[in-house]
């Protein structure tokens, strides 16, 4: 059976993380992704954070699976000719250059439309139109400007960024959806269009519950499910909420047996209202069921700190996995704090293809994330990332160049 995106050709001008995340996802679904790179240099991440000398870094390999690489000198007239041929042949051009870079290369929207009216041009920028639209943006800048950092951490500490790459990879995922949507609309209109995703916008989309809470705070001046309630202070903006769940079911991270030496011996525990009786029974506090201070969800809100303190006395007698096994028998929502080492070694994630081992010709075997989206009729095969310029000759022949012409362009260092 074919892949979901068989027949779709992607011209990949992306680099570093946000754009490559997008194009890798499309490649996993079967699109032919042609990554355009500079001869001798390539994507800057090929050489960043290397752990194996003279081999592509994990930073690069884990973001560029299932792609083909072609090297082109875009500043050379004949190199520009090659790129124009690729624009005519491809369905989508994806880029995450600095604002205006594509125009300076001679590939304005108008020129691309002349070459290929059906071309979809997809771009990632740091900010959308506005006061910061020309600013350079990295992952943590996006987290700060998108509202995530101001609401992450504890009330008595500074703003914090998260280890999840919600700015870069998160925006890449948003852009991939935009591209697939534009491809679907093209079936009706026959036209290409521009697809834009700003990193600030992508982060804010993932922080929508905090924008929800800002409006609730403006109206009520208090957020009862936040740890500042009832004795803390609420200002004008949504405060940092520690490990509070951010929803109607209060949750917190609690210590488990071994926490003194294991920094990840913790469990996330949610005091969901429908299983309150089971929670009280498991931890041996049956008297809470009739105590008016704890009998209803609203009554419990001012006492969440002491409630979690009591639950933690129970979790500290169990490993996080023992606690999980007991709590799941009663449908009490919880989850272990899994380290990256534990995730890398988890057999079930290997079985589902969420974590994959890949063999690379210069760096050997390594682990990578697989496709997080599973299609029943289009299973993903994770193929290694391309070596720099590995598919140049192959792609040139597909564009109609002869062996002699290809040799000539190599000698002129155009490709």
């Amino acid at each position: 059976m074919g892949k979901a995106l068989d027949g779709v050709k992607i011209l990949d001008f992306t680099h570093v993380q946000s754009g490559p995340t997008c194009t890798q996802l499309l490649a996993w679904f079967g699109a032919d992704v042609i990554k355009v790179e500079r001869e001798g240099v390539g994507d800057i991440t090929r050489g960043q954070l290397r752990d194996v000398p003279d081999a592509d870094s994990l930073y690069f390999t884990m973001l560029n699976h299932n792609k083909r690489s072609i090297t082109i000198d875009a500043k050379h007239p004949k190199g520009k000719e090659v790129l124009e041929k690729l624009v005519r042949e491809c369905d989508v051009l994806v880029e995450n250059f600095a604002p205006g870079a594509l125009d300076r290369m001679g590939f304005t929207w108008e020129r691309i439309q002349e070459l290929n009216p059906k071309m979809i041009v997809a771009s990632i920028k740091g900010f959308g139109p506005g006061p910061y639209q020309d600013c350079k943006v990295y992952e943590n800048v996006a987290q700060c400007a998108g509202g995530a950092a101001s609401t992450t951490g504890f009330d008595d500490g500074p703003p914090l960024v998260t280890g999840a790459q919600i700015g870069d990879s998160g925006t890449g995922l948003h852009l991939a959806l935009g591209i697939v949507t534009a491809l679907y609309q093209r079936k009706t209109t026959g036209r290409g269009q521009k697809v834009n995703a700003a990193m600030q916008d992508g982060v804010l989309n993932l922080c929508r519950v905090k924008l929800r809470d800002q409006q609730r705070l403006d109206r009520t001046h208090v957020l009862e499910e936040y740890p500042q309630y009832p004795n803390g202070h609420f200002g004008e903006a949504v405060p940092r909420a520690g490990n509070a769940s951010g929803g109607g079911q209060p949750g917190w991270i609690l210590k488990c047996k071994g926490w003194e030496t294991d920094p990840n011996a913790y469990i996330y525990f949610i005091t969901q209202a429908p299983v309150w009786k089971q929670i009280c029974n498991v931890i041996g506090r049956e008297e809470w069921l009739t105590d008016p201070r704890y009998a209803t969800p609203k009554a419990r809100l001012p006492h969440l700190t002491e409630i979690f303190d009591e639950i933690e006395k129970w979790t500290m007698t169990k490993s996080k996995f023992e606690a999980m096994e007991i709590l799941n028998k009663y449908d009490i929502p919880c989850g272990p704090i899994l380290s990256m080492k534990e995730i890398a070694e988890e057999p079930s994630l290997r079985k589902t293809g969420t974590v994959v081992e890949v063999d690379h010709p210069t760096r050997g075997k390594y682990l990578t994330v697989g496709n997080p989206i599973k299609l029943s009729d289009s299973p993903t095969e994770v193929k290694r990332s391309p070596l720099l310029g590995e598919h140049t000759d192959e792609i040139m022949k597909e564009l109609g160049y002869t062996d002699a012409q290809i040799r000539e362009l190599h000698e002129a260092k155009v490709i």
Side-chain angles (χ1 to χ4, degrees):
M1 185 169 291
K3 297 291 186 180
L5 293 181
D6 272 349
V8 175
K9 276 195 168 185
I10 310 289
L11 186 55
D12 184 358
F13 276 111
T14 70
H15 58 287
V16 192
Q17 185 180 164
S18 60
T21 297
C22 168
T23 52
Q24 177 171 259
L25 189 61
L26 299 173
W28 278 338
F29 286 130
D32 179 12
V33 176
I34 300 172
K35 187 175 180 74
V36 178
E37 302 185 77
R38 285 174 54 203
E39 172 63 39
V41 180
D43 190 319
I44 191 173
T45 59
R46 284 185 183 270
Q48 286 186 338
L49 306 176
R50 272 193 173 127
D51 59 313
V52 177
D54 301 319
D56 289 334
S57 71
L58 287 168
Y59 197 1
F60 176 84
T61 60
M62 294 176 68
L63 286 161
N64 290 281
H65 293 111
N66 296 53
K67 303 179 185 180
R68 297 195 288 168
S69 170
I70 182 173
T71 52
I72 303 175
D73 180 358
K75 295 180 180 179
H76 194 287
K78 289 194 176 296
K80 191 173 178 182
E81 284 179 19
V82 175
L83 289 178
E84 289 187 345
K85 283 180 179 287
L86 283 168
V87 169
R88 290 189 181 97
E89 292 286 324
C90 291
D91 299 285
V92 184
L93 185 156
V94 189
E95 60 92 15
N96 62 332
F97 292 131
L102 202 60
D103 290 355
R104 291 191 292 273
M105 289 172 61
F107 290 99
T108 63
W109 170 247
E110 290 74 22
R111 178 56 180 153
I112 291 171
Q113 286 285 284
E114 288 176 13
L115 294 167
N116 183 355
K118 298 179 74 173
M119 171 67 80
I120 292 161
V121 177
S123 304
I124 289 179
K125 296 293 177 268
F127 295 95
Y132 307 120
Q133 63 188 25
D134 295 324
C135 294
K136 201 170 192 177
V137 174
Y138 289 91
E139 170 66 45
N140 290 348
V141 173
Q143 289 192 31
C144 293
S150 72
T151 57
T152 303
F154 288 87
D155 199 33
D156 57 355
L160 290 176
V161 295
T162 174
Q165 304 293 283
I166 61 176
D168 276 323
S169 289
T171 307
L173 295 171
H174 282 91
L175 188 69
L177 174 61
I179 289 169
V180 172
T181 303
L183 284 168
Y184 184 82
Q185 188 174 23
R186 193 179 70 177
K187 296 174 80 172
T188 304
T189 66
R191 300 198 317 270
Q193 62 180 299
K194 290 187 281 187
V195 180
N196 295 301
M199 292 171 70
Q200 182 187 40
D201 299 0
V203 171
L204 178 57
N205 187 45
L206 299 175
C207 292
R208 66 182 68 186
V209 297
K210 299 302 182 180
L211 184 59
R212 171 203 69 189
D213 290 348
Q214 182 62 51
Q215 295 170 88
R216 294 171 57 227
L217 181 64
D218 289 341
R219 187 165 289 112
T220 64
H221 310 295
V222 66
L223 297 169
E224 293 183 349
E225 73 283 2
Y226 276 58
Q228 289 81 1
Y229 177 81
N231 300 316
H233 170 72
F234 285 92
E236 293 183 345
V238 172
R240 291 183 272 287
N243 291 316
S245 67
Q249 307 295 337
W252 204 253
I253 289 179
L254 306 178
K255 297 172 183 173
C256 291
K257 183 192 289 185
W259 68 273
E260 299 93 339
T261 55
D262 181 355
N264 295 298
Y266 290 83
I267 191 169
Y268 198 90
F269 192 110
I270 296 176
T271 57
Q272 188 180 26
V275 291
W276 177 243
K277 179 180 179 180
Q278 291 89 321
I279 292 171
C280 295
N281 289 335
V282 166
I283 68 170
R285 296 306 299 261
E286 292 85 353
E287 69 275 14
W288 282 356
L289 295 172
T290 54
D291 189 324
R293 294 173 299 172
Y294 308 111
T296 67
K298 187 167 183 63
R300 290 192 288 273
L301 287 175
H303 306 290
L304 287 177
T305 298
E306 58 194 88
I307 288 172
F308 283 121
D309 285 346
E310 284 297 311
I311 297 173
E312 189 172 59
K313 290 177 182 177
W314 178 83
T315 60
M316 288 172 65
T317 68
K318 308 284 186 292
S319 74
K320 60 189 178 186
F321 298 113
E322 290 170 341
M324 277 284 294
E325 186 176 355
I326 295 168
L327 296 172
N328 278 316
K329 290 178 182 176
Y330 302 100
D331 291 329
I332 298 170
C334 58
I337 307 304
L338 294 180
S339 69
M340 280 296 147
K341 182 173 176 59
E342 288 170 319
I343 288 172
E345 296 173 352
E346 172 55 48
S348 65
L349 297 178
R350 301 286 188 97
K351 187 174 181 180
T352 59
T354 300
V355 175
V356 181
E357 186 176 73
V358 179
D359 201 0
H360 191 275
T362 58
R363 66 169 300 113
K365 292 183 178 180
Y366 65 94
L367 289 184
T368 185
V369 295
N371 193 341
I373 305 167
K374 315 309 199 240
L375 299 185
S376 62
D377 284 355
S378 183
T380 298
E381 178 188 358
V382 177
K383 301 177 183 177
R384 69 165 175 85
S385 59
L387 301 175
L388 181 60
E390 180 177 354
H391 303 94
T392 298
D393 290 3
E394 175 182 285
I395 294 167
M396 294 295 288
K397 288 178 181 178
E398 291 172 3
L399 292 174
Y401 287 85
T402 65
D403 289 338
Q405 289 173 318
I406 293 170
R407 279 197 303 273
E408 182 182 336
L409 290 172
H410 275 299
E411 289 168 1
K413 298 189 182 302
V414 174
I415 58 174

